[in-house]
Amino acid sequence: CSGLYCDEKVTISTLPQDISLQKLVEGNMRYVDNAPVHPPQGQVRRNELLNSQSPFATIVSCSDSRVPPEIIFDVGLGDIFVVRVAGNVVGPIELDTVEYASEILKSPLIMVLGHANCGAVDAVIKGESISEDIENIAPFIEPAVQRASSMKGDTLENAIILNVQNTKKALEQSPVIKKLLNANKLKIVCGYYELGTGKVRMLD
């Protein structure tokens, strides 16, 4: 199989973080195949979540309206903890939020999810970020753009992928996240969402 979307069933370990990744894999497969099962989202599920939550994964994704994590992974209420910001970057506020999900809610998996044709990354490439609306986000994306400019292939796609990987590296520098990673209680993976096919492919 290649990437996160596979035609064959994937067999992985029984670690919580790997089980969580498998759930995302299977949910995305259902979405791509136009066969979502729409896990519980009604009154019964709402009642179950009144006093607590136990999301099985944390998704750090772009705010782009074409990339709703709950839909593309076919999950229900309370299943995933989503942090969305243009360019799927992690500043102090986003980091606090991810740390909360990982340490307090015990979410065992973090996926940093980039996507094709990301407008935030494209704006930085075109030099529009300073005078436009993402001047506070652009500094997080600029290192990826600078590196991508000297690479072969599509500059935008390369920059998007590098930006996702940079966000993962930033998360790994957090003492809270690092402690959980070292204890094998947490896993961080990178994904790339294809707008046309709906597939999420792994970048790791």
Side-chain angles (χ1 to χ4, degrees):
C1 107
S2 176
L4 182 58
Y5 178 83
C6 307
D7 293 323
E8 298 180 359
K9 187 173 181 60
V10 179
T11 301
I12 55 179
S13 78
T14 56
L15 290 173
Q17 52 267 46
D18 290 333
I19 292 173
S20 294
L21 181 57
Q22 181 73 1
K23 289 180 180 179
L24 294 180
V25 168
E26 293 172 350
N28 183 242
M29 289 174 66
R30 293 193 300 269
Y31 171 71
V32 170
D33 291 338
N34 294 312
V37 298
H38 301 300
Q41 302 171 354
Q43 185 63 56
V44 173
R45 183 58 174 159
R46 290 197 295 271
N47 290 340
E48 293 174 347
L49 296 169
L50 285 176
N51 299 312
S52 65
Q53 59 174 316
S54 299
F56 68 78
T58 301
I59 311 294
V60 179
S61 75
C62 185
S63 297
D64 195 298
S65 62
R66 300 167 294 179
V67 193
E70 292 88 350
I71 294 177
I72 67 175
F73 291 116
D74 189 34
V75 294
L77 290 176
D79 285 343
I80 58 175
F81 193 92
V82 180
V83 181
R84 300 188 70 179
V85 59
N88 43 267
V89 301
V90 171
I93 293 175
E94 292 81 18
L95 180 58
D96 279 354
T97 308
V98 175
E99 289 176 342
Y100 172 78
S102 301
E103 184 175 41
I104 306 303
L105 300 182
K106 311 298 184 185
S107 177
L109 177 73
I110 299 170
M111 175 180 284
V112 182
L113 182 63
H115 69 91
N117 298 333
C118 180
V121 176
D122 193 39
V124 176
I125 292 175
K126 294 178 178 177
E128 300 172 348
S129 56
I130 302 302
S131 60
E132 296 295 333
D133 299 323
I134 61 166
E135 63 272 14
N136 294 313
I137 293 174
F140 294 97
I141 300 175
E142 285 168 354
V145 170
Q146 291 173 1
R147 184 179 170 193
S149 64
S150 62
M151 294 172 61
K152 295 181 180 179
D154 184 85
T155 299
L156 177 57
E157 181 173 347
N158 288 338
I160 291 168
I161 291 172
L162 290 170
N163 183 55
V164 169
Q165 294 170 337
N166 286 346
T167 296
K168 178 186 177 183
K169 292 176 183 177
L171 289 170
E172 291 171 338
Q173 299 309 306
S174 156
V176 172
I177 300 298
K178 187 179 296 185
K179 180 180 178 180
L180 294 169
L181 289 170
N182 290 339
N184 203 27
K185 294 181 178 179
L186 180 67
K187 184 174 188 175
I188 307 177
V189 297
C190 298
Y192 181 91
Y193 178 69
E194 300 174 350
L195 295 178
T197 65
K199 295 180 182 180
V200 175
R201 55 185 175 89
M202 294 296 290
L203 300 179
D204 301 274

